Amino acid sequence: MIDAEVSGDRLVICFNEQDQEYRAFLETLEGIEFGPITFDDNEEFGASFLNSKENSDKIKAAGYSLMISSKISEK
C-alpha cells in the first residue's frame, strides 16, 4: 500500500530511501521528485508525484494500492 497525502496537484509520500527497488518503481511515476518532507513535525525523506490517472494506473499495475489521506507540508 502507498499511503499518500495531497499537496496541491501532487501526492506526497514518506518511504525508506534505502529501498532501491521501491525507489526504482517511484522513478517511473510522472513528475516524481525526491527530498525532505515534514510529517508529524518530523523531517523525513520522501517523494512527491503528480496526482494523475496515469500515475494511479501505474501504481495499480505494479500491484500497489493507493490510500490518500490528509495534507502534510513539504519543506
Side-chain angles (χ1 to χ4, degrees):
M1 175 179 298
I2 296 176
D3 186 9
E5 312 262 338
V6 175
S7 180
D9 66 346
R10 302 182 69 77
L11 296 176
V12 181
I13 62 170
C14 294
F15 75 99
N16 178 353
E17 63 185 305
Q18 302 303 315
D19 187 342
Q20 295 301 311
E21 184 177 324
Y22 187 56
R23 183 183 175 114
F25 162 70
L26 292 174
E27 289 173 350
T28 70
L29 299 177
E30 181 182 3
I32 190 73
E33 294 178 2
F34 297 97
I37 62 169
T38 301
F39 184 75
D40 289 339
D41 295 324
N42 296 308
E43 189 171 282
E44 310 224 2
F45 187 79
S48 69
F49 52 90
L50 293 176
N51 185 5
S52 67
K53 181 174 180 353
E54 179 181 283
N55 281 341
S56 182
D57 290 347
K58 282 183 183 180
I59 290 166
K60 289 177 187 172
Y64 295 103
S65 59
L66 182 62
M67 185 174 93
I68 301 174
S69 41
S70 65
K71 185 179 178 184
I72 61 175
S73 60
E74 271 188 279
K75 274 195 169 183

